[in-house]
Amino acid sequence: MSIAELLLEKGLITPEQLAEAVDLRRTDGIRLDRALVKLGYVSEEVLLKVMSDQLAIPMVDLADEPIDTATLAVMPAKLAYRKHVVPVKQDNGSLIVATADPFDLYAFDEIRMMTGREVKPVLATEDQITQVIKQHYGVAGDTIEEMAGDDELQVIGDTGEQSDDLLEMAQEASVIKLVNEIFLEALNERASDIHIEPYETGLSIRYRIDGVLHETTVPPQIRRFQNAIISRIKILANLNIAEKRLPQDGRIKIKAGGREVDIRVSVIPMLFGEGVVMRVLDKAQVLFTLPQLGMAEDTHAVFEDQIARPHGIILVTGPTGSGKTTTLYAALQAIVNGQIKVLTVEDPVEYHLDGVNQIQVQPKIGMTFARGLRAILRHDPDVVMIGEIRDKETAEAAIQASMTGHLVLSTLHTNDACSAATRLLDMGIEPFLVASTLNAAMAQRLVRTVCPDCAKPYEPAPGELPPDITLDPGDTLRKGEGCRSCRGMGYRGRTGLYELMTVDDRVRELIVERATSQDIVHAARDNGLRLLREDGWQRVRAGVTTVDEVVRAAR
């Protein structure tokens, strides 16, 4: 009995679904079982389980299989990539090989000839096999193998390269494929940054995922193609491939999986070559609505009320990488409509927002935040967003805009919400101007959220919890055990912690008196201010994040 007939007999598919898969097999030329998976009528796991029962081939979970380097060395990496198989272990001279296609007998014959071992297949999903290959053989290892074996490909030395040679090498099909695979891996892993770092002994590629850098496995031969990789990236970013002494910045726009992604490129000369850092700006991953930011209900309600006001200044504060710009974009999306005009001045413009007029700051030609803000006020805006208040000139322009009937949103580098007012005073702004224009300031941090696939409830050990957190009956703390989807970290994704200070009459008096930020904190607490750390404990009690993350983010 065929696999398709078995699926039908077990009630896992319907005759109509089987008929549709037969049609797909005729048009695409794929096997019937693969057609059923492609159409989504049966999962790969279910299909493999049926194959395992029918063919008496064991099914394994590669996440639980320890694979040593000696076993991997038995089979060439090129064969693993080409046939999409991976050696799992050795058993009395035989080689246990994981495959997602037990009908590919040619693959087993080739492995047998190249290794001289008897092959015993086991079944595993394609995703699991891909993960093991990337982890142990390296990202784009098949491409590296092809490049290393290409006699026509000129390997460029560390010194004395000619720009023509670099250009020719960077346009080789194998180099193009290699760089594309680096980008695709970053998108698949939800990376925000790609770091390519040259060292004396090799080339390191690291991805920043959920705020933490993870080194990816790459074949050792990749060091030989360092110049070709960097030259390819420079060509895509419209940079000078011959200039290796000065830093360069550029931008790449790529399309993957039906979505457009912007990549900001920074190239800096280093001791053993040029280092590249690429910021991945994926609109689908970063543009959130206000409810998606993770604010507590009371904080969300107050913030919505503040951004609906006709004039005044609202500041979002925090260190670099704390999600301030994302919050401002979410705020703009919440208020933009056909009745108001919204203008922004940004450095750089990270994402394009429908219905919002966005301006790029260009300091080299004198287009600063302050100058751009003064210019756009003549365009009759209702709401103005300034990417960042960096100096007195920009702060004065923002205050002037708010006093003339505009709502101004901006970011500021301070550690907490109550320090925003004192920071403006330190810039040289008169206290009465700050007091009369500042409506609210919100500090924020990003914390990693517990991986939903491996999260387990746990009881904290005595003394594990900080003294400022108390647990109520019914609170459930959760911790991720580590799985494939979270790369063994126990965390997947991030959410925000928020500290929102609204300016009332008492806070205004303190600002006019040039009171310290600590005095302002005490007054704001009486008005309902919840500190970052306290907001974090709410997330911990709800099982969203962990104590360690809150302690790290909000000291």
Side-chain angles (χ1 to χ4, degrees), residues 307-326:
I307 63 177
R309 297 192 174 192
H311 55 80
I313 297 177
I314 299 173
L315 297 175
V316 180
T317 75
T320 301
S322 59
K324 301 186 297 295
T325 304
T326 299

Side-chain angles (χ1 to χ4, degrees), residues 348-366:
V349 175
E350 293 191 2
Y351 299 100
H352 303 296
L353 300 174
D354 291 336
V356 177
N357 299 273
Q358 296 170 275
I359 298 169
Q360 171 78 48
V361 167
Q362 299 188 52
K364 291 181 181 179
I365 59 173

